[in-house]
Amino acid sequence: ECDNVLVLLSVSQRMSDEVTATGDTGIERGQRGQQTRGGHRDMEGTQRRHGSGVWDMGAGFGTWGACPMLTPALARPDNAVPGDVLVLTKPLGTHMAVTAHQWLDMPERWNKIKLVVTREEVELAYQEAVASMATLNRTAAGLMRAFGAHAATDVTGFGVLGHARALAARQRLDVAFVIHNLPVIARMAAVSKACGGRAGLLHGTAPETSG
């Protein structure tokens, strides 16, 4: 059994020019160490083998890691039947929460949303977004196999609407997906509305980062 892991890391804008110029954040050394060891177990049992890389992007780093093994009995994405229930395993609004947190230090942008959210609520939303992104989908995957899920998709760059449309288009049977209630990180819908629907959260097109 194995999880694929995709990690994007960047250097804080608050770091000094000297640090960002040298890229001495320890990321590259850590990646080299993993490649040298040939794979080890971390992140709650996720196995990572050769296949990690680091790219210098000037102000930050991007890293990726993937395990070449495939998990058996994966749910196919095209077997939905009438009567199935759609389940979203994580709340939406991660992108909006991270953006709002950045705006805490940008008075001009903070003024656009301060009437609908407090600084404390933004901090809580940010922590929930981080916890969501750091949580693996292993439990959800296990439940899908245990109860025979008929279809599945992630929700990432194209937002919940984009991925739902793509999933519906792949079904073998004539089915319609109806979405009427969605979990959203607290206050992030109001924040999105206050700043003119930024990032498309209210329209289902906001990018999300899953675990």
Side-chain angles (χ1 to χ4, degrees), residues 69-80:
M69 297 183 294
L70 296 177
T71 302
L74 289 175
R76 292 189 57 82
D78 55 3
N79 291 322

Side-chain angles (χ1 to χ4, degrees), residues 25-169:
T25 62
I27 298 173
E28 189 170 2
R29 292 196 304 273
Q31 292 290 339
R32 287 201 192 105
Q34 288 184 16
Q35 291 175 335
T36 301
R37 289 190 293 272
H40 67 283
R41 290 191 174 274
D42 58 4
M43 293 180 65
E44 301 179 20
T46 298
Q47 189 174 28
R48 300 178 64 187
R49 295 185 181 274
H50 304 287
S52 297
V54 177
W55 297 271
D56 187 353
M57 301 188 297
F61 290 89
T63 75
W64 65 272
C67 178
M69 297 183 294
L70 296 177
T71 302
L74 289 175
R76 292 189 57 82
D78 55 3
N79 291 322
V81 299
D84 280 351
V85 176
L86 297 174
V87 177
L88 193 64
T89 61
K90 292 184 177 183
L92 304 174
T94 53
H95 184 272
M96 191 73 260
V98 172
T99 299
H101 190 264
Q102 291 177 329
W103 287 2
L104 290 175
D105 297 325
M106 302 178 182
E108 181 179 350
R109 296 188 176 182
W110 171 248
N111 288 338
K112 295 181 180 180
I113 63 174
K114 67 180 183 180
L115 296 180
V116 299
V117 68
T118 66
R119 288 181 172 270
E120 291 75 16
E121 288 172 332
V122 170
E123 289 288 354
L124 289 174
Y126 177 75
Q127 293 302 325
E128 184 173 354
V130 170
S132 175
M133 290 186 283
T135 301
L136 294 177
N137 290 319
R138 179 187 298 275
T139 300
L143 291 172
M144 286 171 55
R145 290 196 297 272
F147 292 96
H150 295 149
T153 185
D154 62 353
V155 179
T156 49
F158 297 104
V160 66
L161 181 59
H163 287 280
R165 283 174 171 168
L167 184 64

Side-chain angles (χ1 to χ4, degrees), residues 9-22:
L9 302 174
S10 62
V11 176
S12 171
Q13 294 177 338
R14 297 179 181 178
M15 296 177 73
S16 67
D17 292 339
E18 180 181 0
V19 173
T20 56
T22 60

Side-chain angles (χ1 to χ4, degrees), residues 198-209:
R198 181 182 175 87
L201 179 59
L202 300 178
H203 299 95
T205 56
E208 300 289 342
T209 303

